Each structure stands twice: as C-alpha cells, then as structure tokens.
Amino acid sequence: MSKDEGITRGMCNSLNRYPVTLDLRFRGLRIRRFNVAKPFASRISSLSNATRCILPAVCVFLFAVEAEAQIQVDLKFKRLQYIAYEPVMATLAITNLAGRDIELHDAEGQAWFGFEVTGSEGQPIAPTATGSTQTPLKIEAGQKVTQRIDLAALYPVHDFGTYHVRAHIYFVDLGKFFYSASRVFEVTDARPIWQQTVGIPDGVAAPGDARTYSLLSNRFPDHTSLYVRVQDRDTGIVYATYSLGRTIAFEQPQAEIDRANQLHVLHCAAPRAWTYSRVGLNGELLGHSSFMETKTRPRLVRSANGEVAVRGGIIEAPAAQTKPARETAPKLSDRPPEMPRDNR
C-alpha cells in the first residue's frame, strides 16, 4: 500500500467513526444537507445532481429580482391627516433602474400612471374623470423624477375616514406594472370658529347667488393651523379649503368683509407676529403678508365706504400675489355635489 492510499483510507475510517453533517449553501440558499461519512463518490454525485437542480432556480430568482427593480416607485404624503376638501398633495418619485433610457407612455388604452385608492372599509374609490391621456415621460438611465400631485383633484377623497393609496407605473416595453408601497391618510374636519354668508355682487364672475366663508381651526400633533373654506351652502359645492398658516390657539382671528364681499383675515401666527390674508368669492387667495407687533398691535379696520385695511404694527413682507390653492374655479361637473359624509 502506498503512502497516499494509506492516508485516504485513514480519513475514510475516521469519517465513518465520527459522522459529520454538512449544510451546503449557495448565495444564502440552502442546497442540501448530507452526512460526509458516506462514500465520497456517492456524495460527489449527489452534490452534482443538487447543483444541476438548484442553479436554474437561482438564475430564475435573480432574473425576477432584476426585473422587479427596473422601475422603482415611491409614494409619500407630507401629513397623515387632512381637512375635507383641502388639497391632498402626494409626492411621487420614479427611479429608472433599467440600465437604459426609457419612455413611459400610454398604450392600447392603458394609462402609464395611476393610483389605486380604497376607503375605510376596503371599497375601491373610482377617479372623478376617466379616459384622459397622460403626457409621455422620458427618464434617463439611473435618473430619479419627482412629481407632486393633488390626489383630491383626481379622486373623491372628501368624505371623512381613512384612505389607502398605492401608485402604479405601467411599463409598456415589458408589459407589466410596477407598484409603490401602500400609504395611508385620514380625512377629517376642523373646528369652525367663524362663518359669514354673502351675496354675489353684480358684474362678478362667480356662479350661484351666495357664498359662505368659514374659518376653521385644526390641531395637529405639533401645531394648530387656521383654515378658510368657501362654499355655496345651497348647492353643497365647496370651492376651496386650505390653510392660512399656523395660529396661536388662544388668539381669535379677526375677519372682515369688504364692499366687494371679499374676506379679509388677520390672525396671530406666533408671539408678536401676525398674518394677513385676502380671499376671493371663488376661493382665490388674493393677498398674503406678515406684520410684526410694535408699540401697537395690528388690527383690521373697515372704513365707512367698505374698504378694509390693516392698521398698527409694521409690515414685514409686502403684500404679494401668491399662488392660490385653485387659480380658477373648476367646472361645476368637476366639483363634489355635496358636503362630506362620515366614512368611518
């Protein structure tokens, strides 16, 4: 017997005397568990068969992971709670991981972008308008594109309750959908603190006969916000609901109606800091500025001819034309027909 044969036979006898179990893994996947004390030739054959079986499965798995990662879709909301009829702004991020430039576009009646919205009881929420076409979007390899979308303008998410939202992207090159994680937000209403109904003056481009202005206060976990709502109570149409900014809860806002039946609001936003807003009959934010309290406290004054102005304090930022929550009133067919219902 040669020296090498003696060493080999000794190793085999040792393994038969002290069995050892091995757990073979490939890239984190468990392939086979076996006892190395059995003859080497049999084990090598078994390992070869197991490798031939598992490698195709591993390749399919890795290919599927790669395909799923070709387009990454992320959806976020700034807050978890919104007031009924205020804009629900969603931030949508699309990342191109396909390794090449791509173009997202509609195909055969299928829009390349959309949302899946469900209510508190899991009922699907249909969009307010269907059949509209989406503008194609080109994304370079590795590029991330971010868009802000008002979900309340696309879906009737005005009733009180909890909503679940998931965004999807349809990639026509692969004929498949890519989805974001599901996000949740709640729609509630704020506490009314002031309300006034006014008529529509002659010559004003505003539908209907009257408007009701409302000021509402809503407490969030870290602050309190002042909201304005403009609606036609007779028809239930809500023209706008949006925040005028943070407010100090123990300071009541001042509100005045001028001779054009526009709303003027002055509220305390912080110690010795005041915010002035002017709101139109269709819900437009016509003016927005800040005042600092000096020896005198800012206040609204209505003159005999119906003009309203701020007196006292010192202006911190000049009156500016800010972008309204809705630049123009939408068509009547696009507006919700009634006030929100409790969807809980």
Side-chain angles (χ1 to χ4, degrees), residues 180-259:
S180 72
S182 181
R183 302 298 180 187
V184 180
F185 68 90
E186 180 186 13
V187 173
T188 183
D189 211 359
R191 179 176 63 90
I193 56 178
W194 180 90
Q195 192 172 91
Q196 181 67 56
T197 300
V198 300
I200 305 297
D202 294 336
V204 176
D209 299 322
R211 292 288 186 273
T212 297
Y213 293 110
S214 301
L215 294 180
L216 310 101
S217 175
N218 189 67
R219 179 171 294 180
F220 293 97
D222 59 343
H223 70 281
T224 300
S225 287
L226 179 67
Y227 281 79
V228 62
R229 174 175 290 158
V230 183
Q231 67 185 99
D232 185 335
R233 295 181 68 88
D234 294 334
T235 62
I237 297 173
V238 177
Y239 290 88
T241 300
Y242 51 88
S243 173
L244 297 177
R246 298 192 176 197
T247 184
I248 294 181
F250 58 82
E251 286 281 2
Q252 286 296 315
Q254 304 172 43
E256 291 285 351
I257 304 294
D258 65 17
R259 64 181 181 180

Side-chain angles (χ1 to χ4, degrees), residues 85 235-237 335-339:
Y85 290 100
T235 62
I237 297 173
R335 296 191 184 112
E338 56 186 9
M339 287 295 290

Side-chain angles (χ1 to χ4, degrees), residues 262-277:
Q262 295 178 352
L263 173 64
H264 299 251
V265 181
L266 183 68
H267 73 276
C268 188
R272 304 179 65 84
W274 297 74
T275 298
Y276 165 73
S277 305

Side-chain angles (χ1 to χ4, degrees), residues 74-194:
D74 296 305
L75 178 66
K76 293 182 180 180
F77 291 96
K78 187 176 181 180
R79 291 187 268 122
L80 295 177
Q81 185 187 89
Y82 292 87
I83 304 304
Y85 290 100
E86 80 164 305
V88 180
M89 301 306 299
T91 300
L92 178 70
I94 307 171
T95 306
N96 177 12
L97 301 177
R100 58 183 176 86
D101 296 352
I102 63 174
E103 179 180 271
L104 302 175
H105 58 86
D106 299 346
E108 300 178 353
Q110 174 63 58
W112 68 264
F113 161 73
F115 289 104
E116 296 175 4
V117 184
T118 56
S120 301
E121 299 178 357
Q123 72 278 19
I125 307 296
T128 54
T130 58
S132 59
T133 59
Q134 304 276 0
T135 303
L137 177 64
K138 292 183 178 180
I139 309 178
E140 297 178 0
Q143 183 182 13
K144 180 179 180 180
V145 177
T146 303
Q147 296 183 351
R148 298 185 73 238
I149 302 169
D150 181 10
L151 192 70
L154 303 176
Y155 290 82
V157 289
H158 310 294
D159 294 338
F160 304 148
T162 303
Y163 294 87
H164 298 257
V165 184
R166 185 171 71 159
H168 65 254
I169 300 296
Y170 178 69
F171 189 25
V172 67
D173 289 11
L174 295 179
K176 67 178 300 182
F177 289 88
F178 296 87
Y179 297 90
S180 72
S182 181
R183 302 298 180 187
V184 180
F185 68 90
E186 180 186 13
V187 173
T188 183
D189 211 359
R191 179 176 63 90
I193 56 178
W194 180 90

